[in-house]
Amino acid sequence: MAKTELDHVTKRYTERDGSEIVAVDDVSLTIEDGEFLVLVGPSGCGKSTTLRMVAGLETVTDGEIRLDGRVINDLPARDREIAMVFQSYALYPHMTVRENMAFGLEEATDLSDAEIADRVEGTAEMMDIDRLLDRTPSDLSGGQQQRVALGRAIVRDPAVFLLDEPLSNLDAKLRGQMRTELQRLQADLGTTTIYVTHDQTEAMTMGDRIAILDDGRLQQVGTPLECYHEPANLFVAGFVGEPPMNFFEVDLENGTLVGQQFEYPLSERTLADVRDHDRLVLGVRPEAVELVADAETPRDFRATVDVVEPMGNENTVYLAFDAGDVSETAGASADAETFVVTVSGMRRVEAGQQVVVRIPEDAIHLFDRETGEALHNRELETAEAAPPNF
Ligand code: ADP
């Protein structure tokens, strides 16, 4: 178990033509002892490079990586007490499961053969792969190979686990099961874990905290719910959440947000957060938008249901702004831009239906259009305010 720190870490690659790629750009991040941190971001944002630097598989161009306060930049991978699990499993094909699991212990420790056998069997039992010990990887399913790869990491009892997209090759159902199992396992073992994925659902559901990267730069570090409800910027707001947050370009004119499709007067309280910014993006999560019976406030506007995707528990509803002046207060224009709303699966919504849309002010996010910085985030119910047995 170990606290892992990245202190202004940068990785630059030089291409053959001499040009430079900054794969990881000045990332500072502390992963606490025993924490499960998920590093998430789109493909190419620098996740694997970050993980490989912690593992010792890549050199660090600038900055420091510390394990429990000790700088490990120049420590060889095998001396780092770190175990890494790859998406490809990377099992030795000619060795049995038992040999695969024992190999690292034989190489890196001075445990006796009997002690190694004991540890391998104990871990295999915990991972429910004990009956596979004498098989080779080619005789195993993808899910079983993944368990072996994890078992091989766990048996080494490392200070830190590094997991690089470990569930990507599994089918959706197995991936769901393994997510839960991995979380339970990590909580039981209490081993500091850095888990890399491009999948925001995986990040949201698994991490104690998530660190979101884009283009080599750290965008936000926080609990999944902080990143979801209090995104630091437009990138995080759009990346976290499925279906994603709706965005509308708006200008602030005399205390009112004026968009192409609707106008939205702001309260003094929200205005105070926006201050002197007037070119903004209004963001609202699909589940925060309400479909109501009648237009009652100057902010309500009419729209037409474009497509409904029934998910069972909920409906994902794509709405198009109505062309023409259908509501006195809406100021709708002819642009048929769509936005997305989720409503209860029990609610009947059909394509072509006209609806009145309400965006509650306590649910809106406002971003600076140029910098993407969040100026105002939605208000959250405090834990004390939530009903006790909901
Ligand atoms: P991710 O894991 O988020 O998909 P990577 O860390 O693999 O991203 O890559 C980050 C960036 O660094 C990408 O632009 C990638 O092309 C580049 N990169 C990664 N490895 C190398 C390398 N060995 N040489 C040159 N560029 C690399």
Side-chain angles (χ1 to χ4, degrees):
M1 276 176 260
K3 173 166 153 180
T4 310
E5 289 167 284
L6 283 79
D7 191 354
H8 295 284
V9 169
T10 293
K11 176 69 187 182
R12 282 188 289 272
Y13 290 109
T14 309
E15 295 278 69
R16 280 211 192 92
D17 64 3
S19 63
E20 275 199 339
I21 292 178
V22 185
V24 177
D25 194 356
D26 197 25
V27 167
S28 293
L29 182 61
T30 300
I31 303 101
E32 298 297 339
D33 187 5
E35 187 177 18
F36 193 132
L37 181 115
V38 179
L39 198 55
V40 64
S43 177
C45 72
K47 306 178 295 290
S48 293
T49 305
T50 305
L51 209 62
R52 291 170 62 81
M53 285 191 284
V54 178
L57 303 173
E58 285 296 347
T59 55
V60 177
T61 313
D62 271 320
E64 270 183 7
I65 300 182
R66 294 188 289 268
L67 214 61
D68 270 344
R70 172 177 173 221
V71 179
I72 57 164
N73 287 38
D74 298 322
L75 197 66
R78 63 176 178 280
D79 298 332
R80 288 192 185 195
E81 281 190 87
I82 286 174
M84 185 149 167
V85 177
F86 300 88
Q87 178 182 348
S88 61
Y89 314 139
L91 299 173
Y92 300 111
H94 57 283
M95 292 186 190
T96 62
V97 169
R98 188 188 302 279
E99 287 161 347
N100 263 287
M101 289 178 70
F103 187 71
L105 292 178
E106 286 161 1
E107 293 292 298
T109 67
D110 43 23
L111 294 174
S112 71
D113 288 353
E115 283 168 320
I116 291 177
D118 259 8
R119 265 167 76 164
V120 167
E121 273 163 36
T123 305
E125 224 167 278
M126 179 171 78
M127 293 298 294
D128 200 20
I129 49 173
D130 39 337
R131 51 203 167 83
L132 309 177
L133 279 171
D134 295 314
R135 296 204 201 160
T136 52
S138 58
D139 296 333
L140 305 178
S141 69
Q144 289 169 330
Q145 290 185 40
Q146 185 51 270
R147 279 176 184 281
V148 174
L150 285 167
R152 185 175 61 171
I154 290 167
V155 78
R156 288 179 49 198
D157 191 21
V160 180
F161 284 130
L162 304 179
L163 308 177
D164 193 356
E165 305 255 7
L167 308 184
S168 301
N169 290 347
L170 306 179
D171 65 51
K173 187 152 183 237
L174 195 53
R175 199 157 61 227
Q177 285 168 8
M178 283 300 284
R179 254 188 228 155
T180 321
E181 197 172 324
L182 256 178
Q183 273 175 286
R184 202 177 291 134
L185 203 61
Q186 195 272 344
D188 286 350
L189 295 168
T191 309
T192 312
T193 300
I194 310 179
Y195 184 106
V196 158
T197 179
H198 64 277
D199 178 348
Q200 62 89 29
T201 311
E202 218 161 88
M204 289 292 288
T205 51
M206 294 183 79
D208 292 329
R209 286 188 308 157
I210 60 183
I212 300 163
L213 273 182
D214 183 38
D215 204 13
R217 294 202 196 103
L218 197 56
Q219 304 293 313
Q220 185 164 2
V221 188
T223 64
L225 291 182
E226 276 164 6
C227 296
Y228 187 84
H229 293 300
E230 294 167 0
N233 56 36
L234 263 178
F235 177 81
V236 173
F239 185 77
V240 174
E242 181 55 42
M245 188 184 281
N246 294 293
F247 295 123
F248 306 98
E249 286 195 3
V250 289
D251 290 328
L252 184 61
E253 292 174 13
N254 300 321
T256 294
L257 299 175
V258 179
Q260 273 207 320
Q261 315 282 2
F262 60 92
E263 295 194 355
Y264 195 97
L266 292 181
S267 67
E268 288 300 324
R269 226 169 120 193
T270 310
L271 275 172
D273 286 345
V274 179
R275 280 164 291 142
D276 45 351
H277 302 257
D278 51 12
R279 291 163 56 77
L280 305 171
V281 174
L282 167 69
V284 63
R285 296 258 175 224
E287 69 275 19
V289 181
E290 296 169 10
L291 303 186
V292 296
D294 293 304
E296 282 167 8
T297 80
R299 298 176 184 140
D300 297 345
F301 58 90
R302 289 177 198 279
T304 302
V305 176
D306 186 21
V307 175
V308 181
E309 289 175 354
M311 310 289 286
N313 62 332
E314 61 181 27
N315 290 309
T316 307
V317 182
Y318 294 86
L319 295 169
F321 286 98
D322 279 356
D325 193 17
V326 291
S327 152
E328 281 183 355
T329 53
S333 83
D335 271 49
E337 211 182 302
T338 63
F339 60 104
V340 60
V341 176
T342 48
V343 298
S344 158
M346 302 302 285
R347 198 150 162 198
R348 267 188 91 85
V349 188
E350 283 170 6
Q353 195 178 334
Q354 280 235 323
V355 291
V356 175
V357 178
R358 179 171 300 162
I359 300 177
E361 192 178 1
D362 62 5
I364 66 168
H365 301 258
L366 291 167
F367 306 90
D368 182 282
R369 208 186 305 164
E370 266 72 55
T371 63
E373 178 201 359
L375 304 169
H376 170 86
N377 277 324
R378 69 158 306 155
E379 285 167 29
L380 287 182
E381 198 176 63
T382 57
E384 301 85 64
N389 294 311
F390 63 99

